[in-house]
Amino acid sequence: MKLQELTKPWAAFNYGFLDESAKRELRRRILKAIAIPGYQVPYASREVPMARGWGTGGLQVTLTLLNPTSVVKVIDQGADDSVNASSIRKFFGRVGGVVETEDMGKATIVQSRHRIPEEKLREDQVLVLQVPNPEPLRPVQPDMSIARDMHGDADYGQLWLVLYEQLVKSGRIMQGAEYPSLVNGRYVITPSPIPRWDVPKLNQADHLTILSAGREKRLYAVPPYTKVEPLVFDDVPYRVEDHRDKTCYRSHVTGFFMNELPQDDGSSAYELSDSHFGIKHIRKAEGEPVEIGDTWYKNGRMD
């Protein structure tokens, strides 16, 4: 046998980069995840031109959903112009010939890391969330085989205990991101490292949400119009970050999730975390005909 006999002639990559076998497998896994809301479905995570831990799970799901008519928006902690978001968006354009956009209203697929946009997603839009750690029980049960049994038995007592300990020690629940949430009254999920502000946006939402962890080889879904409840005690209501009185120094918009920017004099300035949402308001204030979609929050409170 010669080395030349083991090689194949050069050929262009498949549409959407992933081979058709990988896409078929992912589609079957996604369908199962939709049929069983919140259930972690294992899949054979493929190698993609990105290091694991930088969004390979979300990348594979989006590549599977791509078609030539797709319009894709990619955000990284709310920003469309970060290196990671820009690189992923350009990659989709190269391998799928899709339209790239920063406008929520025009997108058909929204891939995000650590944030859900402020504008509501429609029924014809899909939200793909990158997840570094899909297992909510890992902090209390590092043995994944036991954790799977606990999910099967709906045994989430240790998670409640963690929240209770935070409440006793600090006077409030300190879980800032990855807040454990009950989906469809059955499975508890980690809703990606989104802030508490974004978790209520998953409840009874019009859109499909797919959460995927490439490094951990797990994906799960929140179908449209599905109940998502953060784990809370009856006498301690769920609280989001209090940003009602925060105003973006660039767009002058108040009542949405803000990034805090420390200043040299010790004070803080605030900027909208959803960058293009702020850009829309700036352009509208300058007289441009900009369409801003409906939002989940009004003046810092859920509508």
Side-chain angles (χ1 to χ4, degrees), residues 25-298:
E25 190 231 353
L26 265 169
R27 289 180 185 127
R28 289 194 296 267
R29 300 296 187 264
I30 290 171
L31 286 172
K32 183 174 182 179
I34 293 171
I36 314 174
Y39 175 71
Q40 295 177 45
V41 183
Y43 68 98
S45 181
R46 264 63 172 190
E47 293 294 333
V48 291
M50 179 188 294
R52 293 191 183 276
W54 289 87
T56 57
L59 187 75
Q60 292 176 74
V61 168
T62 303
L63 289 172
T64 301
L65 299 176
L66 285 185
N67 63 66
T69 63
S70 297
V71 183
V72 180
K73 173 182 171 72
V74 183
I75 56 179
D76 185 349
Q77 298 199 35
D80 294 83
D81 55 357
S82 70
V83 173
N84 195 37
S86 299
S87 299
I88 293 175
R89 190 167 56 247
K90 289 177 182 177
F91 178 70
F92 290 146
R94 282 191 69 178
V95 303
V98 301
V99 177
E100 304 168 33
T101 186
E102 296 182 0
D103 191 339
M104 260 294 301
K106 297 178 181 178
T108 58
I109 303 174
V110 180
Q111 180 173 321
S112 176
R113 174 176 178 261
H114 296 190
R115 281 305 316 276
I116 297 177
E118 298 293 354
E119 295 174 87
K120 285 185 176 181
L121 279 81
R122 305 183 304 270
E123 287 182 336
D124 61 336
Q125 295 176 307
V126 178
L127 175 64
V128 179
L129 288 176
Q130 302 167 201
V131 184
N133 175 25
E135 181 52 73
L137 291 170
R138 181 164 291 170
V140 297
Q141 181 48 260
D143 189 325
M144 290 300 99
S145 61
I146 297 177
R148 284 193 289 271
D149 288 340
M150 293 171 68
H151 279 295
D153 296 333
D155 180 7
Y156 299 118
Q158 292 186 47
L159 284 179
W160 285 103
L161 181 59
V162 169
L163 298 176
Y164 177 73
E165 288 177 344
Q166 293 178 8
L167 194 60
V168 171
K169 291 179 180 179
S170 305
R172 62 188 178 93
I173 295 175
M174 301 297 292
Q175 191 86 18
E178 299 182 285
Y179 198 100
S181 304
L182 184 66
V183 178
N184 201 35
R186 178 58 182 85
Y187 287 100
V188 170
I189 66 165
T190 294
S192 179
I194 59 176
R196 294 196 307 269
W197 180 275
D198 286 346
V199 175
K201 297 177 183 178
L202 294 172
N203 183 48
Q204 298 293 343
D206 296 347
H207 66 277
L208 166 65
T209 302
I210 304 172
L211 304 97
S212 180
R215 182 173 50 192
E216 300 289 331
K217 303 179 182 180
R218 292 285 188 277
L219 65 83
Y220 45 106
V222 178
Y225 310 110
T226 299
K227 194 173 185 179
V228 178
E229 306 167 276
L231 297 186
V232 291
F233 299 99
D234 292 341
D235 55 343
V236 182
Y238 182 75
R239 294 175 58 188
V240 302
E241 296 83 352
D242 189 4
H243 288 185
R244 283 174 296 174
D245 59 341
K246 305 293 188 296
T247 301
C248 176
Y249 81 98
R250 294 177 61 207
S251 62
H252 307 295
V253 174
T254 301
F256 294 97
F257 192 82
M258 302 283 174
N259 294 329
E260 184 175 359
L261 308 175
Q263 304 298 297
D264 293 338
D265 60 359
S267 63
S268 295
Y270 294 91
E271 180 183 39
L272 272 173
S273 173
D274 189 338
S275 63
H276 200 261
F277 185 62
I279 290 171
K280 278 186 173 182
H281 280 88
I282 293 172
R283 290 169 57 192
K284 187 173 183 179
E286 293 174 348
E288 294 186 38
V290 178
E291 184 177 346
I292 301 176
D294 193 19
T295 59
W296 274 281
Y297 282 87
K298 301 287 191 299

